[in-house]
Amino acid sequence: MFYLEIEGNSKLSGEVAISGAKNAALPLIASTLIMKDDVVLENIPNVADIKTLATLLVNLGAKCDFLDSHILKINTNNINSTKANYDIVRKMRASILVLGPLLARFGHCEVSLPGGCAIGQRPIDLHLSALEKMGANIEIKQGYVVATAPNGLHGADIVFDKITVTGSENIIMAAALAHGTTRLTNVAKEPEVVQLCEVLADVGVYIEGIGTNELTIKGTGQNLITSKNIRVIPDRIEAGTYLCAGAITNSKITITNANANHLKAILTKFNEMGFGIEINDDKITILPTDKIKPVEIVTTEYPGFPTDMQAQFMALALIADGVSVIDERLFENRFMHVSELSRMGADIRLNGHIASIYGGEKLNAADVMATDLRASSALVLAALASDGTSKVHRIYHLDRGYENLEIKLAELGAKIKRLEE
Ligand code: EPZ
C-alpha cells in the first residue's frame, strides 16, 4: 500500500493545471449507454473512479479505449449484459449512474445496491421512486435493484423530495430516452448536472430549464442518441483544494484550466478569510495575507458551499486566528477527518453536524490515515502546514479523485513523496 510523506512548513509557488471533473466525467461516461456508435470524451481525469466505471461498462459489453490517459472512446452498440455486479459497485457508489440509462434503453437491469459508506448512509430511494413514477417495477433481491419496464419508461412529473446530484443525473438520462415528456422539479443545479444536460441538448434531446431546478425533457422513445465529442468541464473541487494548498501555506499560487464561475462560494470564503483572489480567464491566483481570519461555513447544494470542500476548509481553519464554525448539512458522518486532524494537534469540537475549529495553534506532523476522498486531501493540506514530516496512509482514497496529487503539489514546491509501506 502507498502512503504520502510530506515535509511541512514549506512555501508554495507557481502554477498548477486543473484536471477534468471526476463528478462530471462519471455521468457523461454513463450517458454513453443511451448513445450509439463511438463517443469520444476529452479532458477525462486520470483517476481510479473513472477506470472503475470504464471497467463496469466493459463488463456490460461496451468497448472502452483510452486513446491517451485523458481521452476515452466508448462504444456501447454491443452491450450484452444489463447486470452491474456487486464487485464493482461496492468500489464506487457512483456506479448507480448506470441504472437510469440501462433501464431506459433495455427495459430491464440489475444493479447492485451501493450500501452505506464512510460519509453517511447515502440511500438511493429518490432514484428509485422517480424511476417508479416513470413506469418501472423495482424490487430489491439479494442486494440488487432489479428494475423492469418491458415497454420502456414513460414521461412523468417528478418532484425530488431532496436535491440529489446523481439522482438528478440518473433520471435526466432515463428521461432522455423515455417515451413522452418528463418534468423534474427540485433538480440539482451543480455544474456537473448542467454539463450532462448541455451535452444531451447539444445532440438533439429537448431539455428546457437547463441550469435551473426545473427541467422539462422530451424523451426519444428509446431511440439511441447520436453523440459528438464531449469535453469534460474542469474539476471545481480539485481547483478549490489547490487554492487551499496555497492558502494553508500562505503562498501565492495560480491554478490554470479552472472555471471561476463554478467556484463562487469557495472564492468568497477565501476572501472572507483575508486571502486575495485574482481571476484572469481560466487562471485563478490566491494571494497570501497578513492575518488569516476565522470563517463560518454551511455546506449546501450548488451554488452554495460544497460539502466536497468542507474537510479542506476545516484544515485551513486550523491556521486561522480565532474560532471557525462549519455546519455540515448534507452528510451525517462527514467529519471522519476530525480525529485524524486532532492527531496533528488540532482543536476541533464537534456537536452533531456542527464543528467548531479553534485555530491558531501550530500543527505538528503525525502519521494519519485517510478515510474518504476529501478527508484525505484535508490531511495532506494540514501536513503542508505542520512542523515536521507527516505520513498520510491509505491514499487509495486520494487516487480515486485526485490526478497525480503528489506530482502536482511537488511542482508547486511542496516536499511530498509517494512511498510504499
Ligand atoms: C454527489 O454524490 C457527489 N458524487 C459527491 O461527491 C458529493 O459529495 C454529493 O453529490 C453532494 O454534492 C458524484 O457526483 C459522483 P446526493 P451523491 O445524492 O449524488 C441524500 C466526492 O467526494 N439522498 O446529492 O451520491 C443523501 O444521503 C463525492 O467526489 C437521499 O436521501 O449525493 C445526502 O444526504 C462524495 N436519497 C443528500 O441527499 C437519495 O436517493 C445529497 O446526496 C439520494 C440522496
Side-chain angles (χ1 to χ4, degrees):
M1 242 196 293
F2 291 100
Y3 66 96
L4 291 178
E5 190 179 87
I6 302 161
E7 211 180 295
N9 275 338
S10 48
K11 285 276 178 202
L12 304 185
S13 62
E15 290 191 354
V16 64
I18 299 307
S19 300
K22 163 184 86 77
N23 289 349
L26 292 169
L28 291 171
I29 292 171
S31 78
T32 63
L33 289 166
I34 57 169
M35 296 177 178
K36 62 181 171 196
D37 303 334
D38 289 348
V39 186
V40 176
L41 298 117
E42 295 171 12
N43 203 30
I44 290 279
N46 186 8
V47 297
D49 274 10
I50 297 295
K51 288 167 196 147
T52 302
L53 188 57
T55 305
L56 170 50
L57 259 58
V58 168
N59 283 356
L60 299 175
K63 276 187 75 186
C64 290
D65 298 311
F66 281 94
L67 303 184
D68 71 26
S69 53
H70 298 110
I71 302 182
L72 177 58
K73 186 170 84 176
I74 304 179
N75 186 314
T76 67
N77 286 357
N78 296 321
I79 294 274
N80 52 19
S81 160
T82 55
K83 183 167 182 177
N85 285 315
Y86 175 69
D87 281 351
I88 292 194
V89 179
R90 77 188 164 92
K91 280 194 197 156
M92 187 185 67
R93 298 183 51 82
S95 308
I96 196 67
L97 283 166
V98 302
L99 175 65
L102 281 178
L103 182 60
R105 174 166 167 184
F106 297 100
H108 60 88
C109 66
E110 289 173 57
V111 178
S112 173
L113 270 174
C117 79
I119 63 174
Q121 202 187 353
R122 300 182 78 185
I124 55 158
D125 55 314
L126 302 173
H127 305 228
L128 302 184
S129 60
L131 290 171
E132 279 174 339
K133 287 220 172 76
M134 297 175 79
N137 177 42
I138 293 185
E139 289 177 89
I140 306 294
K141 285 189 191 158
Q142 294 168 336
Y144 280 76
V145 176
V146 181
T148 50
N151 301 316
L153 295 170
H154 57 69
D157 279 357
I158 294 161
V159 181
F160 288 103
D161 285 344
K162 237 183 187 180
I163 297 178
T164 160
V165 174
T166 50
S168 299
E169 292 161 348
N170 235 334
I171 303 311
I172 289 164
M173 292 185 279
L177 218 64
H179 298 268
T181 301
T182 300
R183 284 180 200 82
L184 302 176
T185 303
N186 207 21
V187 182
K189 293 186 291 191
E190 270 65 5
E192 298 76 20
V193 180
V194 172
Q195 180 169 39
L196 174 67
C197 291
E198 283 172 348
V199 163
L200 294 174
D202 202 34
V203 293
V205 179
Y206 177 90
I207 308 185
E208 197 185 289
I210 295 178
T212 74
N213 57 10
E214 285 192 7
L215 295 176
T216 301
I217 303 172
K218 286 187 189 161
T220 64
Q222 285 181 298
N223 288 314
L224 294 183
I225 298 161
T226 310
S227 70
K228 298 184 196 163
N229 283 15
I230 300 169
R231 186 170 176 83
V232 177
I233 55 171
D235 194 315
R236 63 195 165 101
I237 305 302
E238 190 197 21
T241 304
Y242 282 102
L243 291 174
C244 274
I248 207 164
T249 55
N250 211 10
S251 309
K252 176 183 174 183
I253 65 148
T254 298
I255 56 169
T256 64
N257 186 32
N259 185 337
N261 286 329
H262 296 163
L263 285 153
K264 283 184 186 151
I266 297 169
L267 298 181
T268 303
K269 291 299 161 190
F270 284 123
N271 283 148
E272 285 174 18
M273 294 183 83
F275 298 100
I277 294 286
E278 287 172 358
I279 300 167
N280 200 342
D281 297 330
D282 70 347
K283 292 186 177 188
I284 306 174
T285 300
I286 187 157
L287 303 167
T289 175
D290 294 340
K291 181 174 157 66
I292 302 173
K293 291 184 264 185
V295 68
E296 288 191 11
I297 289 175
V298 178
T299 67
T300 182
E301 295 87 2
Y302 189 86
F305 188 91
T307 173
D308 290 347
M309 282 302 301
Q310 179 257 106
Q312 299 90 315
F313 266 79
M314 186 178 287
L316 179 56
L318 290 171
I319 61 155
D321 193 5
V323 184
S324 299
V325 178
I326 298 183
D327 183 351
E328 169 57 59
R329 295 269 177 93
L330 284 184
F331 293 110
E332 66 275 16
N333 194 25
R334 209 170 193 183
F335 282 142
M336 302 278 280
H337 39 285
V338 169
S339 47
E340 295 303 299
L341 289 171
S342 302
R343 306 190 68 250
M344 303 173 92
D347 182 0
I348 302 169
R349 303 176 200 173
L350 289 181
N351 184 3
H353 53 85
I354 297 177
S356 302
I357 301 109
Y358 289 74
E361 293 297 319
K362 188 68 200 162
L363 298 173
N364 47 63
D367 275 55
V368 286
M369 203 168 298
T371 49
D372 77 70
L373 173 57
R374 309 302 170 188
S376 326
S377 63
L379 300 179
V380 172
L381 292 171
L384 289 174
S386 298
D387 278 336
T389 302
S390 298
K391 289 180 183 165
V392 180
H393 301 271
R394 295 205 181 163
I395 55 165
Y396 55 86
H397 289 291
L398 274 175
D399 294 334
R400 291 185 53 182
Y402 287 97
E403 176 171 341
N404 294 336
L405 180 86
E406 75 279 12
I407 296 174
K408 290 188 182 188
L409 278 174
E411 275 169 17
L412 291 172
K415 295 184 182 121
I416 180 167
K417 276 190 246 165
R418 176 182 288 252
L419 298 167
E420 202 157 2
E421 315 256 11

Coordinates of all heavy atoms in Angstrom, one line a residue, residues 242-247 251-255 270 275-278 284-288 316:
Y242 N -6.5 22.9 -4.5 CA -5.1 23.5 -4.7 C -5.1 25.0 -4.2 O -4.1 25.4 -3.6 CB -4.7 23.5 -6.1 CG -4.2 22.1 -6.5 CD1 -5.0 21.1 -7.1 CD2 -3.0 21.7 -6.0 CE1 -4.6 19.9 -7.3 CE2 -2.5 20.4 -6.2 CZ -3.4 19.5 -6.9 OH -2.9 18.2 -7.1
L243 N -6.2 25.7 -4.3 CA -6.3 27.0 -3.7 C -6.1 26.9 -2.2 O -5.4 27.8 -1.6 CB -7.6 27.7 -4.1 CG -7.7 28.1 -5.6 CD1 -9.1 28.7 -5.9 CD2 -6.6 29.1 -6.0
C244 N -6.7 25.9 -1.6 CA -6.5 25.7 -0.1 C -5.0 25.4 0.2 O -4.5 25.9 1.2 CB -7.3 24.5 0.4 SG -9.0 25.0 0.8
A245 N -4.3 24.7 -0.7 CA -2.9 24.4 -0.5 C -2.1 25.7 -0.5 O -1.2 26.0 0.3 CB -2.4 23.5 -1.6
G246 N -2.5 26.7 -1.4 CA -1.9 28.0 -1.4 C -2.2 28.7 -0.1 O -1.3 29.3 0.5
A247 N -3.4 28.7 0.3 CA -3.9 29.4 1.5 C -3.2 28.9 2.7 O -2.7 29.6 3.6 CB -5.4 29.3 1.6
S251 N 0.8 31.2 0.6 CA 1.7 31.4 -0.5 C 0.9 31.9 -1.7 O -0.4 31.7 -1.7 CB 2.3 30.0 -1.0 OG 2.9 29.4 0.1
K252 N 1.6 32.4 -2.7 CA 0.9 32.8 -3.9 C 1.0 31.7 -4.9 O 2.1 31.3 -5.3 CB 1.6 34.1 -4.5 CG 1.0 34.6 -5.8 CD 1.7 35.8 -6.4 CE 1.2 36.1 -7.8 NZ 1.9 37.2 -8.4
I253 N -0.1 31.1 -5.3 CA -0.1 30.1 -6.4 C -1.2 30.4 -7.4 O -2.2 31.0 -7.0 CB -0.2 28.7 -5.8 CG1 -1.6 28.4 -5.2 CG2 0.9 28.3 -4.9 CD1 -2.1 27.0 -5.4
T254 N -1.1 29.8 -8.6 CA -2.1 30.1 -9.6 C -2.5 28.7 -10.1 O -1.7 27.8 -10.4 CB -1.5 30.9 -10.8 OG1 -1.0 32.1 -10.3 CG2 -2.4 31.1 -11.9
I255 N -3.9 28.6 -10.2 CA -4.4 27.3 -10.8 C -4.8 27.7 -12.3 O -5.3 28.8 -12.5 CB -5.5 26.7 -10.0 CG1 -6.7 27.7 -9.8 CG2 -5.1 26.2 -8.7 CD1 -7.9 27.1 -9.3
F270 N -12.5 32.3 0.7 CA -11.1 32.7 0.8 C -11.0 34.2 1.1 O -10.2 34.6 1.9 CB -10.4 32.4 -0.5 CG -10.1 30.9 -0.7 CD1 -10.5 30.2 -1.8 CD2 -9.3 30.2 0.2 CE1 -10.2 28.9 -2.0 CE2 -9.0 28.9 0.1 CZ -9.4 28.2 -1.0
F275 N -7.7 36.2 2.2 CA -6.9 36.0 1.1 C -7.4 36.8 -0.1 O -8.6 36.8 -0.4 CB -6.9 34.5 0.7 CG -6.3 33.6 1.8 CD1 -7.2 32.9 2.7 CD2 -4.9 33.5 2.0 CE1 -6.7 32.2 3.7 CE2 -4.4 32.8 3.1 CZ -5.3 32.1 3.9
G276 N -6.4 37.3 -0.9 CA -6.8 37.9 -2.1 C -6.9 36.9 -3.2 O -6.3 35.9 -3.2
I277 N -7.9 37.2 -4.2 CA -8.1 36.2 -5.3 C -8.0 37.1 -6.6 O -8.7 38.1 -6.7 CB -9.5 35.6 -5.2 CG1 -9.6 34.6 -4.0 CG2 -9.8 34.8 -6.5 CD1 -8.8 33.3 -4.1
E278 N -7.3 36.6 -7.5 CA -7.2 37.3 -8.9 C -7.7 36.3 -9.9 O -7.2 35.1 -9.9 CB -5.8 37.7 -9.2 CG -5.3 38.9 -8.4 CD -3.9 39.3 -8.6 OE1 -3.2 38.5 -9.3 OE2 -3.4 40.2 -8.0
I284 N -6.8 31.3 -11.8 CA -7.1 31.9 -10.5 C -5.9 31.9 -9.7 O -5.3 30.8 -9.5 CB -8.3 31.1 -9.8 CG1 -9.5 30.9 -10.8 CG2 -8.7 31.8 -8.6 CD1 -10.6 30.1 -10.2
T285 N -5.6 33.1 -9.1 CA -4.4 33.2 -8.3 C -4.9 33.5 -6.9 O -5.8 34.3 -6.7 CB -3.5 34.3 -8.8 OG1 -3.1 34.0 -10.1 CG2 -2.2 34.5 -7.9
I286 N -4.3 32.8 -5.9 CA -4.6 33.1 -4.5 C -3.4 33.8 -3.9 O -2.2 33.5 -4.2 CB -5.0 31.9 -3.7 CG1 -5.4 32.3 -2.3 CG2 -3.9 30.8 -3.6 CD1 -6.4 31.3 -1.6
L287 N -3.6 34.9 -3.1 CA -2.5 35.7 -2.6 C -2.4 35.6 -1.1 O -3.5 35.4 -0.4 CB -2.8 37.2 -3.0 CG -2.9 37.5 -4.5 CD1 -3.5 38.9 -4.7 CD2 -1.6 37.3 -5.2
P288 N -1.2 35.6 -0.6 CA -1.1 35.5 0.9 C -1.7 36.7 1.6 O -2.0 37.7 1.0 CB 0.4 35.4 1.1 CG 1.1 35.8 -0.2 CD 0.0 35.8 -1.3
L316 N -7.8 24.3 6.7 CA -7.4 25.7 6.6 C -7.8 26.5 7.8 O -7.0 27.3 8.3 CB -8.0 26.3 5.3 CG -7.7 27.8 5.0 CD1 -6.2 28.0 4.9 CD2 -8.4 28.1 3.7

